[in-house]
Amino acid sequence: MELKKAFLLLLLTGSCAFAQQDGYWDKDRATTKEIILTAGDRIKVRTEDFPVGTTEVVYRVTLLDDNQQMANSLVSVLKSIPDPTGISQGSAGAVFLMSKVSGDDKCTYAVFSSDKEAANYVKEGKTEKSCYHQDEAVSRDAKRLSIEKSSCFSADAMWFGFESKNWIMKQKIVLEVVPWVDIKLNRGWTTENRKSVLGISKTSDIAELMLNPDDYCVCILEKMQKKYTFTEYAKLMAVEKTKVYKDLGNSCLSKSDDNLPIQANIRIDAAKHFKNRKYDYAIRLLKAGIIDRGTATALDYAALGQYYIYSKQYEKAIKSLKDGEKIDSSELLIQLNLAHAYLLNNDFQSAKALHKKYLAQNVTATQSWTDKTRSDFTAFRNAKIDSDGFDRILKLFN
């Protein structure tokens, strides 16, 4: 039977060994304490401080007769189980963690997340406020506690309370507790700490202009976590933090395939601002997020020119559209918006020249130059932008 269990355990630990490692058993901050408990008495024991990023603990309780020695320490046992989930996968893991020796004495115990509750247990023997309790007297026990399923992790340590069930002789109890450390969380980036950085990121100029800044802010957070531990970040002066946020924000807007989703969101949000007639927001967002970063396409300049036209900044529209023309002079949305800007800026001849040059072409695969012009003139008038030149241009199409 023991051979069968050993074989099951070998399969279990073998599968875990090939899994991607995202944490480690911290043997340096493991707890190993030998406790002498008077007959019929209760006692509390504090573990060593857990390292930052502790998400699991495995503990083992073993009662020994006089002169008995532990066959294997819990740390040595855990060396062959690289992932804490392996411990709870079937009976093999549980059997493997149990001490190979134990005495005839038995005890009950409870685990607490605060010294105060553990002290109350010693005084009154109540376990209602424990995060785990073993009411059946045992000579040995082993468990895994997870931060996801237990309330034991609200402090940087745990408290074990033991009650002797030997009413004649004293007991010898060996308590071993080994923490599992998540590598990412070990850098101090807890959920609350990450939320604080995301909150600050959302106050940046770019983020405040965006309708959906989540991708941008998460990008800053991810770069922050790679660059600093939370302790290092927390020690930065305010002026240094301001510069870090600015530098990381610039990196998240730079020309990179990783940043394409952020750039797409900026274009979408700028277009929504334009649709809602918030032309200033649309201009500032597109310029700060795309144009000034050197990631603009010809269509970005066509959009910026359109935003300037509707905000009646015709000279800026012409300049922007001319910049876009340098990228792709064949983009007819640029040429048409340029014709509009010339016309509204009282340069009828320049506008006329562009219309005569392109009126037989399509600006998109499905829309002709003339149809788009008529549609734009109607939209201009609805936005209270009008010109005597509109009718003169339309006569060219006849």
Side-chain angles (χ1 to χ4, degrees), residues 51 77 124 139 142 176 191 268 270 353:
V77 170
E124 302 178 6
S139 61
E176 300 167 278
T191 299
I268 290 169

Side-chain angles (χ1 to χ4, degrees), residues 92-109:
V95 170
F96 192 59
L97 287 175
M98 298 293 271
S99 176
K100 292 183 180 179
V101 295
S102 66
D104 295 327
D105 292 339
K106 293 185 177 182
C107 73
T108 59
Y109 69 90

